[in-house]
Protein backbone atom coordinates (compact mmCIF):
# COMPACT_ATOMS: atom_id res chain seq x y z
CA UNK A 1 0.00 0.00 0.00
CA UNK A 2 2.77 2.40 1.01
CA UNK A 3 4.76 1.48 -2.09
CA UNK A 4 1.67 1.94 -4.28
CA UNK A 5 1.25 5.50 -3.02
CA UNK A 6 4.91 6.27 -3.50
CA UNK A 7 4.88 4.84 -7.01
CA UNK A 8 2.02 7.15 -7.95
CA UNK A 9 4.33 10.09 -7.25
CA UNK A 10 7.11 8.50 -9.28
CA UNK A 11 4.82 7.91 -12.27
CA UNK A 12 4.17 11.64 -12.44
CA UNK A 13 7.82 12.55 -12.85
CA UNK A 14 9.05 9.84 -15.23
CA UNK A 15 9.23 10.24 -19.01
CA UNK A 16 6.36 9.14 -21.26
CA UNK A 17 8.36 6.12 -22.42
CA UNK A 18 8.93 4.81 -18.89
CA UNK A 19 6.59 2.33 -17.23
CA UNK A 20 6.09 0.51 -13.95
CA UNK A 21 5.21 -3.18 -13.54
CA UNK A 22 3.64 -4.51 -10.34
CA UNK A 23 3.24 -8.19 -9.42
CA UNK A 24 0.33 -9.52 -11.48
CA UNK A 25 0.95 -7.14 -14.40
CA UNK A 26 1.56 -8.95 -17.70
CA UNK A 27 5.21 -7.87 -17.98
CA UNK A 28 6.17 -8.19 -14.33
CA UNK A 29 7.30 -11.80 -14.45
CA UNK A 30 9.39 -11.42 -17.60
CA UNK A 31 11.06 -8.27 -16.27
CA UNK A 32 11.60 -9.50 -12.70
CA UNK A 33 12.67 -13.09 -13.41
CA UNK A 34 16.41 -13.56 -13.18
CA UNK A 35 18.83 -15.92 -14.89
CA UNK A 36 18.92 -17.77 -11.57
CA UNK A 37 15.98 -17.70 -9.20
CA UNK A 38 18.17 -19.13 -6.44
CA UNK A 39 18.12 -16.56 -3.57
CA UNK A 40 16.72 -14.04 -6.06
CA UNK A 41 15.31 -10.66 -4.97
CA UNK A 42 11.51 -10.38 -4.83
CA UNK A 43 10.76 -6.73 -5.65
CA UNK A 44 7.40 -5.02 -5.25
CA UNK A 45 7.76 -3.27 -8.60
CA UNK A 46 9.92 -3.01 -11.70
CA UNK A 47 10.58 0.55 -12.86
CA UNK A 48 11.30 0.46 -16.60
CA UNK A 49 13.29 3.66 -17.00
CA UNK A 50 13.72 5.03 -20.51
CA UNK A 51 16.08 7.99 -20.17
CA UNK A 52 19.07 9.02 -18.11
CA UNK A 53 16.82 11.58 -16.39
CA UNK A 54 14.43 8.74 -15.46
CA UNK A 55 17.30 6.92 -13.74
CA UNK A 56 18.25 10.06 -11.84
CA UNK A 57 14.67 10.82 -10.80
CA UNK A 58 14.06 7.23 -9.72
CA UNK A 59 17.18 7.19 -7.55
CA UNK A 60 16.26 10.55 -6.02
CA UNK A 61 12.70 9.32 -5.39
CA UNK A 62 13.90 6.05 -3.85
CA UNK A 63 16.42 7.71 -1.53
CA UNK A 64 13.91 10.35 -0.45
CA UNK A 65 11.26 7.71 0.30
CA UNK A 66 13.58 5.11 1.81
CA UNK A 67 12.81 2.58 -0.94
CA UNK A 68 15.63 0.09 -1.55
CA UNK A 69 16.43 -0.41 -5.23
CA UNK A 70 18.54 -2.58 -7.49
CA UNK A 71 19.65 -1.62 -11.00
CA UNK A 72 19.18 -4.44 -13.48
CA UNK A 73 20.31 -4.97 -17.06
CA UNK A 74 20.78 -8.60 -18.13
CA UNK A 75 19.62 -10.00 -14.75
CA UNK A 76 22.40 -12.59 -15.02
CA UNK A 77 24.09 -11.60 -11.78
CA UNK A 78 24.00 -14.46 -9.29
CA UNK A 79 24.74 -13.88 -5.63
CA UNK A 80 23.30 -14.65 -2.24
CA UNK A 81 23.87 -11.04 -1.17
CA UNK A 82 20.66 -9.69 -2.74
CA UNK A 83 18.62 -8.06 -0.02
CA UNK A 84 15.51 -6.78 -1.73
CA UNK A 85 11.91 -7.62 -0.84
CA UNK A 86 8.34 -6.52 -1.52
CA UNK A 87 8.62 -2.87 -0.41
CA UNK A 88 11.54 -2.39 -2.81
CA UNK A 89 12.04 -1.96 -6.54
CA UNK A 90 14.12 -3.04 -9.51
CA UNK A 91 15.31 -0.25 -11.81
CA UNK A 92 15.24 -1.99 -15.17
CA UNK A 93 17.75 -0.29 -17.50
CA UNK A 94 16.93 -2.32 -20.61
CA UNK A 95 15.38 0.62 -22.49
CA UNK A 96 18.72 2.44 -22.29
CA UNK A 97 20.15 0.00 -24.81
CA UNK A 98 21.34 2.28 -27.61
CA UNK A 99 24.78 1.46 -28.97
CA UNK A 100 26.64 3.66 -31.44
CA UNK A 101 30.04 2.89 -32.90
CA UNK A 102 32.44 5.41 -34.41
CA UNK A 103 35.29 3.35 -35.80
CA UNK A 104 36.99 6.33 -37.42
CA UNK A 105 37.36 7.98 -34.02
CA UNK A 106 37.98 4.63 -32.29
CA UNK A 107 35.16 4.60 -29.78
CA UNK A 108 31.67 3.27 -29.10
CA UNK A 109 28.96 4.52 -26.76
CA UNK A 110 27.11 1.74 -24.96
CA UNK A 111 23.79 2.42 -23.25
CA UNK A 112 23.84 1.34 -19.60
CA UNK A 113 21.06 -1.16 -20.35
CA UNK A 114 22.56 -2.77 -23.48
CA UNK A 115 23.13 -6.50 -23.64
CA UNK A 116 26.31 -8.09 -24.97
CA UNK A 117 24.67 -9.16 -28.24
CA UNK A 118 23.38 -5.64 -28.88
CA UNK A 119 26.91 -4.28 -28.59
CA UNK A 120 28.34 -7.04 -30.79
CA UNK A 121 25.65 -6.51 -33.45
CA UNK A 122 26.31 -2.76 -33.57
CA UNK A 123 30.08 -3.28 -33.64
CA UNK A 124 29.84 -5.89 -36.39
CA UNK A 125 27.65 -3.62 -38.50
CA UNK A 126 30.33 -0.92 -38.16
CA UNK A 127 33.12 -3.43 -38.97
CA UNK A 128 34.52 -2.91 -35.48
CA UNK A 129 35.38 -4.92 -32.40
CA UNK A 130 34.28 -3.78 -28.94
CA UNK A 131 35.36 -5.80 -25.90
CA UNK A 132 32.25 -7.23 -24.24
CA UNK A 133 31.37 -10.54 -22.55
CA UNK A 134 31.01 -13.98 -24.06
CA UNK A 135 27.32 -14.50 -23.43
CA UNK A 136 24.78 -12.68 -25.51
CA UNK A 137 22.15 -12.02 -22.86
CA UNK A 138 24.49 -10.66 -20.18
CA UNK A 139 24.43 -6.91 -19.52
CA UNK A 140 27.46 -5.30 -21.18
CA UNK A 141 27.92 -2.79 -18.35
CA UNK A 142 26.93 -5.28 -15.63
CA UNK A 143 29.82 -7.50 -16.71
CA UNK A 144 32.23 -4.62 -17.32
CA UNK A 145 31.83 -3.15 -13.83
CA UNK A 146 33.41 -6.28 -12.34
CA UNK A 147 36.20 -6.40 -14.94
CA UNK A 148 34.60 -7.89 -18.03
CA UNK A 149 36.06 -11.12 -19.39
CA UNK A 150 35.82 -11.47 -23.13
CA UNK A 151 37.23 -13.62 -25.90
CA UNK A 152 38.62 -10.38 -27.31
CA UNK A 153 40.68 -9.78 -24.16
CA UNK A 154 43.33 -11.91 -25.85
CA UNK A 155 43.85 -9.04 -28.29
CA UNK A 156 42.70 -5.92 -26.45
CA UNK A 157 42.53 -6.59 -22.67
CA UNK A 158 39.39 -6.81 -20.55
CA UNK A 159 36.37 -4.53 -20.89
CA UNK A 160 37.62 -2.21 -18.12
CA UNK A 161 40.96 -1.84 -19.89
CA UNK A 162 39.11 -0.30 -22.83
CA UNK A 163 36.83 1.97 -20.86
CA UNK A 164 37.16 5.68 -21.70
CA UNK A 165 34.45 7.23 -19.52
CA UNK A 166 31.08 6.57 -17.92
CA UNK A 167 28.01 8.63 -17.09
CA UNK A 168 27.07 7.73 -13.53
CA UNK A 169 23.99 8.41 -11.42
CA UNK A 170 25.26 8.55 -7.85
CA UNK A 171 23.49 7.85 -4.56
CA UNK A 172 23.17 11.62 -4.12
CA UNK A 173 21.09 11.62 -7.30
CA UNK A 174 23.70 13.53 -9.28
CA UNK A 175 24.75 12.69 -12.82
CA UNK A 176 28.52 12.82 -13.25
CA UNK A 177 31.00 11.87 -15.95
CA UNK A 178 33.89 9.79 -14.65
CA UNK A 179 37.03 9.17 -16.69
CA UNK A 180 40.76 8.63 -16.36
CA UNK A 181 41.39 12.34 -16.88
CA UNK A 182 38.48 13.71 -14.86
CA UNK A 183 37.97 14.99 -11.33
CA UNK A 184 37.46 11.67 -9.57
CA UNK A 185 40.51 9.43 -10.11
CA UNK A 186 39.78 7.20 -7.10
CA UNK A 187 36.16 6.68 -8.11
CA UNK A 188 37.37 5.86 -11.63
CA UNK A 189 39.68 3.23 -10.11
CA UNK A 190 36.82 1.72 -8.09
CA UNK A 191 34.42 1.57 -11.04
CA UNK A 192 36.85 -0.73 -12.85
CA UNK A 193 36.36 -3.92 -10.87
CA UNK A 194 34.00 -2.97 -8.04
CA UNK A 195 31.72 -0.68 -10.02
CA UNK A 196 28.38 -2.16 -8.96
CA UNK A 197 28.88 -0.50 -5.56
CA UNK A 198 29.07 3.11 -6.65
CA UNK A 199 26.12 4.11 -8.81
CA UNK A 200 24.21 3.38 -11.99
CA UNK A 201 26.04 3.66 -15.29
CA UNK A 202 23.67 5.18 -17.82
CA UNK A 203 26.20 5.00 -20.65
CA UNK A 204 29.83 4.11 -21.20
CA UNK A 205 32.31 5.25 -23.83
CA UNK A 206 34.67 2.42 -24.76
CA UNK A 207 37.38 1.83 -27.34
CA UNK A 208 36.43 0.39 -30.74
CA UNK A 209 38.98 -1.43 -32.90
CA UNK A 210 39.07 -2.42 -36.57
CA UNK A 211 37.86 -6.00 -37.02
CA UNK A 212 40.41 -8.79 -36.99
CA UNK A 213 40.46 -10.86 -40.21
CA UNK A 214 37.56 -8.78 -41.60
CA UNK A 215 35.35 -10.04 -38.77
CA UNK A 216 35.73 -13.71 -39.68
CA UNK A 217 36.78 -15.67 -36.58
CA UNK A 218 37.01 -19.42 -36.02
CA UNK A 219 35.55 -21.88 -33.55
CA UNK A 220 35.87 -25.54 -32.81
CA UNK A 221 33.81 -27.97 -30.77
CA UNK A 222 35.37 -31.16 -29.36
CA UNK A 223 33.96 -33.95 -27.22
CA UNK A 224 36.23 -36.31 -25.29
CA UNK A 225 35.65 -39.53 -23.42
CA UNK A 226 36.08 -39.00 -19.66
CA UNK A 227 39.25 -41.12 -19.59
CA UNK A 228 40.97 -38.21 -21.38
CA UNK A 229 40.36 -35.72 -18.55
CA UNK A 230 43.92 -35.72 -17.17
CA UNK A 231 45.45 -35.45 -20.63
CA UNK A 232 43.13 -32.66 -21.76
CA UNK A 233 43.65 -30.76 -18.51
CA UNK A 234 47.43 -31.00 -18.66
CA UNK A 235 47.48 -29.96 -22.31
CA UNK A 236 45.40 -26.88 -21.56
CA UNK A 237 47.68 -26.10 -18.62
CA UNK A 238 50.71 -26.23 -20.88
CA UNK A 239 49.15 -24.34 -23.78
CA UNK A 240 50.58 -20.93 -24.55
CA UNK A 241 47.41 -18.80 -24.61
CA UNK A 242 48.44 -16.12 -27.07
CA UNK A 243 46.54 -13.46 -28.98
CA UNK A 244 43.24 -14.53 -30.47
CA UNK A 245 42.80 -17.63 -28.29
CA UNK A 246 40.12 -18.59 -25.79
CA UNK A 247 38.81 -21.90 -24.47
CA UNK A 248 35.83 -23.14 -22.54
CA UNK A 249 36.59 -26.58 -21.12
CA UNK A 250 33.37 -27.94 -19.66
CA UNK A 251 31.61 -30.84 -18.03
CA UNK A 252 28.10 -30.54 -19.38
CA UNK A 253 24.96 -32.43 -20.31
CA UNK A 254 24.77 -32.99 -24.06
CA UNK A 255 21.41 -32.42 -25.73
CA UNK A 256 18.93 -34.00 -26.19
CA UNK A 257 19.18 -36.28 -23.13
CA UNK A 258 21.80 -34.43 -21.12
CA UNK A 259 24.43 -37.17 -21.42
CA UNK A 260 27.37 -36.05 -19.22
CA UNK A 261 30.30 -35.18 -21.42
CA UNK A 262 33.74 -33.60 -21.49
CA UNK A 263 33.52 -30.74 -23.95
CA UNK A 264 35.98 -28.23 -25.36
CA UNK A 265 34.93 -25.06 -27.16
CA UNK A 266 37.83 -23.27 -28.80
CA UNK A 267 37.68 -19.81 -30.32
CA UNK A 268 40.21 -17.90 -32.34
CA UNK A 269 40.15 -14.34 -33.62
CA UNK A 270 41.84 -14.89 -36.98
CA UNK A 271 42.20 -17.43 -39.77
CA UNK A 272 41.57 -21.18 -39.51
CA UNK A 273 45.17 -21.82 -40.41
CA UNK A 274 46.48 -19.71 -37.54
CA UNK A 275 43.91 -21.26 -35.18
CA UNK A 276 44.95 -24.81 -36.00
CA UNK A 277 48.55 -23.89 -35.32
CA UNK A 278 47.71 -22.19 -32.02
CA UNK A 279 45.59 -25.10 -30.74
CA UNK A 280 47.68 -27.90 -32.32
CA UNK A 281 48.43 -29.74 -29.03
CA UNK A 282 44.68 -30.15 -28.40
CA UNK A 283 44.04 -31.53 -31.88
CA UNK A 284 46.39 -34.42 -31.15
CA UNK A 285 44.28 -35.71 -28.24
CA UNK A 286 41.78 -37.83 -30.21
CA UNK A 287 38.37 -36.37 -29.40
CA UNK A 288 35.40 -38.60 -30.24
CA UNK A 289 33.78 -35.62 -31.96
CA UNK A 290 35.44 -32.64 -33.55
CA UNK A 291 34.07 -29.92 -35.78
CA UNK A 292 35.69 -26.61 -36.69
CA UNK A 293 34.32 -23.79 -38.76
CA UNK A 294 34.91 -20.15 -39.62
CA UNK A 295 32.43 -18.03 -37.67
CA UNK A 296 31.57 -14.39 -38.20
CA UNK A 297 32.25 -12.29 -35.13
CA UNK A 298 28.55 -11.51 -34.65
CA UNK A 299 27.84 -15.26 -34.21
CA UNK A 300 30.82 -15.93 -31.98
CA UNK A 301 28.78 -16.32 -28.77
CA UNK A 302 26.05 -18.52 -30.27
CA UNK A 303 27.47 -21.78 -28.89
CA UNK A 304 26.66 -20.58 -25.36
CA UNK A 305 23.12 -19.35 -26.04
CA UNK A 306 21.46 -22.50 -24.68
CA UNK A 307 22.62 -21.82 -21.09
CA UNK A 308 21.19 -18.33 -20.94
CA UNK A 309 17.48 -18.81 -20.45
CA UNK A 310 15.99 -17.11 -17.40
CA UNK A 311 14.40 -18.89 -14.46
CA UNK A 312 15.13 -22.13 -12.51
CA UNK A 313 17.50 -22.56 -9.61
CA UNK A 314 21.07 -22.11 -10.81
CA UNK A 315 23.28 -21.74 -7.73
CA UNK A 316 26.82 -21.09 -8.91
CA UNK A 317 30.27 -21.25 -7.32
CA UNK A 318 33.61 -20.20 -8.68
CA UNK A 319 37.33 -20.35 -8.03
CA UNK A 320 40.17 -18.44 -9.73
CA UNK A 321 43.33 -20.47 -10.32
CA UNK A 322 46.88 -20.07 -11.56
CA UNK A 323 46.87 -23.57 -13.00
CA UNK A 324 44.57 -26.56 -13.35
CA UNK A 325 45.46 -29.65 -11.36
CA UNK A 326 44.56 -32.75 -13.42
CA UNK A 327 43.85 -34.90 -10.35
CA UNK A 328 41.59 -32.22 -8.88
CA UNK A 329 39.78 -31.81 -12.19
CA UNK A 330 39.14 -35.58 -12.18
CA UNK A 331 37.70 -35.26 -8.66
CA UNK A 332 35.44 -32.44 -9.87
CA UNK A 333 34.20 -34.70 -12.69
CA UNK A 334 33.37 -37.47 -10.18
CA UNK A 335 31.70 -34.92 -7.92
CA UNK A 336 29.68 -33.62 -10.89
CA UNK A 337 28.52 -37.12 -11.83
CA UNK A 338 27.55 -37.87 -8.25
CA UNK A 339 25.23 -34.87 -8.02
CA UNK A 340 23.62 -35.74 -11.33
CA UNK A 341 23.15 -39.35 -10.24
CA UNK A 342 21.26 -38.36 -7.10
CA UNK A 343 19.41 -35.48 -8.78
CA UNK A 344 18.64 -36.65 -12.32
CA UNK A 345 16.62 -33.53 -13.10
CA UNK A 346 19.85 -31.50 -12.83
CA UNK A 347 21.09 -32.88 -16.15
CA UNK A 348 21.80 -29.43 -17.57
CA UNK A 349 24.21 -28.57 -14.77
CA UNK A 350 27.70 -27.66 -15.90
CA UNK A 351 31.23 -27.07 -14.70
CA UNK A 352 33.05 -24.56 -16.86
CA UNK A 353 36.82 -24.12 -16.81
CA UNK A 354 37.28 -20.75 -18.50
CA UNK A 355 40.70 -20.45 -20.07
CA UNK A 356 41.21 -16.98 -21.47
CA UNK A 357 44.41 -15.32 -22.61
CA UNK A 358 45.75 -12.86 -20.04
CA UNK A 359 48.86 -11.55 -21.83
CA UNK A 360 47.19 -8.34 -23.03
CA UNK A 361 45.29 -8.05 -19.74
CA UNK A 362 48.62 -7.98 -17.87
CA UNK A 363 49.90 -5.10 -19.99
CA UNK A 364 47.69 -2.93 -17.78
CA UNK A 365 49.34 -2.80 -14.34
CA UNK A 366 47.47 -4.19 -11.33
CA UNK A 367 47.36 -0.80 -9.63
CA UNK A 368 45.35 0.76 -12.47
CA UNK A 369 42.03 -0.66 -11.35
CA UNK A 370 40.07 -2.29 -8.56
CA UNK A 371 40.14 -5.58 -10.48
CA UNK A 372 42.69 -7.53 -8.42
CA UNK A 373 43.32 -10.82 -10.23
CA UNK A 374 45.17 -10.14 -13.49
CA UNK A 375 47.65 -12.83 -12.47
CA UNK A 376 45.06 -15.63 -12.52
CA UNK A 377 44.82 -17.86 -15.61
CA UNK A 378 41.70 -19.95 -15.04
CA UNK A 379 38.26 -19.11 -13.72
CA UNK A 380 36.23 -22.20 -12.93
CA UNK A 381 32.46 -21.92 -12.46
CA UNK A 382 30.01 -24.65 -11.50
CA UNK A 383 26.27 -24.08 -11.97
CA UNK A 384 23.76 -26.65 -10.78
CA UNK A 385 20.50 -26.38 -12.71
CA UNK A 386 17.20 -27.67 -11.33
CA UNK A 387 13.72 -26.38 -10.63
CA UNK A 388 12.83 -27.75 -7.19
CA UNK A 389 14.04 -25.47 -4.34
CA UNK A 390 14.02 -28.56 -2.09
CA UNK A 391 17.29 -29.48 -3.82
CA UNK A 392 18.96 -26.24 -2.60
CA UNK A 393 20.43 -27.78 0.55
CA UNK A 394 22.11 -30.62 -1.32
CA UNK A 395 23.32 -28.14 -3.93
CA UNK A 396 24.86 -25.89 -1.28
CA UNK A 397 26.82 -28.79 0.18
CA UNK A 398 27.93 -29.79 -3.32
CA UNK A 399 29.13 -26.26 -4.10
CA UNK A 400 31.16 -26.06 -0.89
CA UNK A 401 32.94 -29.28 -1.76
CA UNK A 402 33.48 -28.24 -5.39
CA UNK A 403 35.37 -25.14 -4.28
CA UNK A 404 37.36 -27.05 -1.66
CA UNK A 405 38.55 -29.65 -4.17
CA UNK A 406 40.03 -26.97 -6.41
CA UNK A 407 41.27 -24.68 -3.64
CA UNK A 408 43.10 -27.44 -1.78
CA UNK A 409 44.88 -28.54 -4.95
CA UNK A 410 45.64 -25.01 -6.16
CA UNK A 411 48.94 -24.55 -4.36
CA UNK A 412 47.89 -20.92 -3.85
CA UNK A 413 48.29 -19.25 -0.45
CA UNK A 414 44.98 -17.41 -0.72
CA UNK A 415 41.66 -18.21 -2.34
CA UNK A 416 40.55 -15.86 -5.09
CA UNK A 417 37.38 -15.36 -7.08
CA UNK A 418 36.36 -13.02 -9.91
CA UNK A 419 33.75 -10.78 -8.28
CA UNK A 420 31.26 -11.33 -11.12
CA UNK A 421 31.48 -15.08 -10.50
CA UNK A 422 31.39 -14.98 -6.69
CA UNK A 423 28.65 -16.74 -4.75
CA UNK A 424 28.52 -14.02 -2.13
CA UNK A 425 29.63 -16.05 0.90
CA UNK A 426 33.36 -15.55 0.27
CA UNK A 427 35.48 -13.33 2.53
CA UNK A 428 35.65 -9.85 0.99
CA UNK A 429 39.42 -10.17 0.29
CA UNK A 430 38.76 -13.10 -2.06
CA UNK A 431 36.72 -10.81 -4.32
CA UNK A 432 38.43 -7.44 -3.94
CA UNK A 433 41.99 -8.18 -2.84
CA UNK A 434 44.26 -6.99 -0.07
CA UNK A 435 43.88 -4.36 2.64
CA UNK A 436 45.34 -1.55 0.53
CA UNK A 437 42.70 -2.15 -2.14
CA UNK A 438 39.94 -2.48 0.44
CA UNK A 439 41.02 0.77 2.11
CA UNK A 440 40.56 2.64 -1.18
CA UNK A 441 37.22 0.95 -1.87
CA UNK A 442 35.92 1.63 1.65
CA UNK A 443 37.02 5.28 1.59
CA UNK A 444 35.34 5.85 -1.78
CA UNK A 445 32.23 3.99 -0.65
CA UNK A 446 31.99 6.29 2.36
CA UNK A 447 32.40 9.29 0.10
CA UNK A 448 29.96 8.33 -2.66
CA UNK A 449 27.45 6.05 -0.99
CA UNK A 450 27.70 6.43 2.80
CA UNK A 451 24.19 5.04 3.34
CA UNK A 452 24.88 1.95 1.25
CA UNK A 453 22.19 2.26 -1.42
CA UNK A 454 24.34 0.32 -3.89
CA UNK A 455 25.05 -2.62 -1.62
CA UNK A 456 23.12 -5.56 -2.99
CA UNK A 457 25.78 -7.18 -5.13
CA UNK A 458 28.96 -8.24 -3.34
CA UNK A 459 28.92 -5.13 -1.18
CA UNK A 460 31.95 -3.24 0.10
CA UNK A 461 31.83 -3.21 3.90
C1 LIG B 1 25.37 -17.24 -18.53
C2 LIG B 1 26.34 -16.22 -17.99
C3 LIG B 1 27.42 -15.84 -18.77
C4 LIG B 1 28.35 -14.91 -18.30
N1 LIG B 1 29.39 -14.55 -19.10
C5 LIG B 1 30.27 -13.61 -18.67
C6 LIG B 1 31.36 -13.18 -19.49
O1 LIG B 1 31.52 -13.63 -20.61
N2 LIG B 1 32.21 -12.25 -19.00
C7 LIG B 1 32.07 -11.73 -17.75
O2 LIG B 1 32.89 -10.91 -17.35
N3 LIG B 1 31.04 -12.11 -16.95
C8 LIG B 1 30.14 -13.03 -17.39
N4 LIG B 1 29.12 -13.42 -16.58
C9 LIG B 1 29.01 -12.84 -15.24
C10 LIG B 1 28.40 -11.46 -15.36
O3 LIG B 1 29.41 -10.53 -15.61
C11 LIG B 1 27.72 -11.03 -14.08
O4 LIG B 1 26.74 -11.96 -13.76
C12 LIG B 1 27.12 -9.64 -14.23
O5 LIG B 1 26.79 -9.17 -12.96
C13 LIG B 1 25.88 -9.71 -15.08
O6 LIG B 1 25.41 -8.43 -15.40
P1 LIG B 1 23.88 -8.31 -15.85
O7 LIG B 1 23.62 -6.91 -16.19
O8 LIG B 1 23.56 -9.36 -16.83
O9 LIG B 1 23.13 -8.74 -14.52
P2 LIG B 1 22.20 -7.94 -13.50
O10 LIG B 1 21.77 -9.01 -12.55
O11 LIG B 1 21.18 -7.15 -14.19
O12 LIG B 1 23.22 -6.99 -12.77
C14 LIG B 1 24.23 -7.52 -11.94
C15 LIG B 1 24.75 -6.41 -11.05
O13 LIG B 1 25.24 -5.37 -11.88
C16 LIG B 1 24.56 -4.16 -11.61
N5 LIG B 1 24.37 -3.46 -12.87
C17 LIG B 1 23.88 -3.94 -14.05
N6 LIG B 1 23.89 -2.97 -14.97
C18 LIG B 1 24.37 -1.86 -14.37
C19 LIG B 1 24.62 -0.53 -14.79
N7 LIG B 1 24.36 -0.13 -16.04
N8 LIG B 1 25.13 0.35 -13.88
C20 LIG B 1 25.41 -0.04 -12.62
N9 LIG B 1 25.19 -1.28 -12.16
C21 LIG B 1 24.68 -2.18 -13.04
C22 LIG B 1 23.25 -4.57 -10.98
O14 LIG B 1 22.73 -3.56 -10.15
C23 LIG B 1 23.66 -5.79 -10.19
O15 LIG B 1 24.20 -5.40 -8.96
C24 LIG B 1 28.18 -14.34 -17.02
C25 LIG B 1 27.07 -14.71 -16.24
C26 LIG B 1 26.16 -15.64 -16.72
C27 LIG B 1 25.00 -16.04 -15.88
Amino acid sequence: MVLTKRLQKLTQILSQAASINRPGDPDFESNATRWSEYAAPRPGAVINVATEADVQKTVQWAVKNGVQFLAQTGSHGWTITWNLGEPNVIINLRRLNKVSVNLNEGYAIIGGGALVHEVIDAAYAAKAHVVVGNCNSVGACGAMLGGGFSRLQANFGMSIDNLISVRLVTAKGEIITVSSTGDHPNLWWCLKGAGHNFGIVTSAVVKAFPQINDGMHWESNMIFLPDHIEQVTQTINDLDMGEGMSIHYAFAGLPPIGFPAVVLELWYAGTAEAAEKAFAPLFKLHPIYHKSSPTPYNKINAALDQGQYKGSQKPTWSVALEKLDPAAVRKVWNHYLEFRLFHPSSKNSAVMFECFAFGKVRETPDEHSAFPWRNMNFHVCASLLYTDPAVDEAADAWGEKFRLILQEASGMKENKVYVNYATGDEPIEEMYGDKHRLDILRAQKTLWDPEGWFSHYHPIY
Side-chain angles (χ1 to χ4, degrees), residues 21 31 46-50 70-73 90-96:
N21 306 137
N31 285 332
V46 176
I47 319 293
N48 302 298
V49 288
L70 173 71
Q72 177 179 294
T73 297
I90 294 278
I91 303 178
N92 178 16
L93 301 169
R94 281 292 292 125
R95 292 179 189 172
L96 277 75

Side-chain angles (χ1 to χ4, degrees), residues 45 93 138 174 177 192 255 304 327 331 337 367 388 436 447-448:
L93 301 169
V138 166
E174 295 165 345
T177 300
K192 296 183 294 173
L304 302 180
K331 279 189 197 165
L337 288 187
E367 56 273 18
D388 183 0
H436 170 66
L447 192 63
W448 291 98

Side-chain angles (χ1 to χ4, degrees), residues 34 71 73-77 93 112 134-135 139 143 149 196 199 201 418 420 457:
R34 304 188 59 76
T73 297
S75 67
H76 274 51
L93 301 169
N134 302 315
C135 289
F149 291 162
H196 318 90
V201 172
Y418 172 34
N420 278 353
Y457 186 72

Side-chain angles (χ1 to χ4, degrees), residues 74-395:
S75 67
H76 274 51
W78 69 75
T79 179
I80 58 168
T81 62
W82 307 123
N83 181 18
L84 202 79
E86 273 282 324
N88 311 132
V89 301
I90 294 278
I91 303 178
N92 178 16
L93 301 169
R94 281 292 292 125
R95 292 179 189 172
L96 277 75
N97 66 341
K98 192 169 167 219
V99 182
S100 57
V101 182
N102 185 335
L103 184 57
N104 285 339
E105 300 290 329
Y107 70 85
I109 304 175
I110 302 176
L115 300 182
V116 163
H117 81 86
E118 290 167 333
V119 180
I120 290 182
D121 288 349
Y124 188 72
K127 299 193 181 307
H129 282 326
V130 171
V131 180
V132 282
N134 302 315
C135 289
N136 284 327
S137 50
V138 166
C141 288
M144 181 177 65
L145 291 169
F149 291 162
S150 168
R151 278 182 254 297
L152 288 176
Q153 74 183 54
N155 298 75
F156 308 118
M158 293 186 296
S159 294
I160 51 167
D161 302 332
N162 294 289
L163 188 58
I164 296 170
S165 67
V166 299
R167 296 271 293 166
L168 189 75
V169 174
T170 68
K172 289 178 194 142
E174 295 165 345
I175 302 176
I176 57 173
T177 300
V178 195
S179 72
S180 62
T181 53
D183 294 336
H184 311 296
N186 287 335
L187 177 60
W188 177 242
W189 185 90
C190 294
L191 289 174
K192 296 183 294 173
H196 318 90
N197 286 283
F198 292 92
I200 299 180
V201 172
T202 53
S203 65
V205 184
V206 300
K207 289 182 194 162
F209 302 92
Q211 283 181 337
I212 299 164
N213 197 35
D214 291 331
M216 189 52 78
H217 293 208
W218 172 96
E219 70 181 310
S220 188
N221 176 242
M222 296 174 160
I223 299 173
F224 291 90
L225 289 173
D227 59 353
H228 281 53
I229 284 175
E230 285 79 1
Q231 215 183 359
V232 171
T233 307
Q234 192 56 50
T235 307
I236 290 174
N237 245 338
D238 296 341
L239 203 61
D240 183 11
M241 292 294 289
E243 284 198 15
M245 299 167 75
S246 60
I247 302 176
H248 275 170
Y249 170 27
F251 301 154
L254 289 184
I257 57 163
F259 187 78
V262 178
V263 179
L264 274 191
E265 293 279 350
L266 315 178
W267 290 272
Y268 190 80
T271 64
E273 203 184 4
E276 280 159 21
K277 211 167 150 193
F279 290 112
L282 288 169
F283 287 153
K284 293 181 189 148
L285 297 184
H286 308 297
I288 51 169
Y289 173 83
H290 181 193
K291 189 173 173 214
S292 304
S293 57
T295 302
Y297 164 61
N298 63 336
K299 300 280 181 263
I300 202 72
N301 287 344
L304 302 180
D305 280 351
Q306 67 182 33
Q308 295 178 44
Y309 65 92
K310 287 187 187 178
S312 302
Q313 307 294 95
K314 301 187 187 108
T316 300
W317 302 265
S318 183
V319 176
L321 297 170
E322 284 163 4
K323 61 180 173 53
L324 296 177
D325 179 85
V329 173
R330 163 69 60 188
K331 279 189 197 165
V332 169
W333 167 256
N334 292 342
H335 191 45
Y336 171 72
L337 288 187
E338 192 181 311
F339 191 84
R340 294 198 36 176
L341 193 67
F342 287 103
H343 305 281
S345 68
S346 68
K347 64 184 173 140
N348 290 323
S349 301
V351 179
M352 182 92 84
F353 302 84
E354 290 193 343
C355 323
F356 296 131
F358 280 88
K360 278 281 164 194
V361 172
R362 288 177 194 136
E363 285 180 10
T364 301
D366 273 346
E367 56 273 18
H368 276 216
S369 67
F371 179 81
W373 307 136
R374 288 175 192 272
N375 55 344
M376 293 293 105
N377 294 313
F378 302 100
H379 296 267
V380 191
C381 293
S383 298
L384 296 180
L385 271 65
Y386 50 87
T387 49
D388 183 0
V391 178
D392 286 351
E393 206 179 319

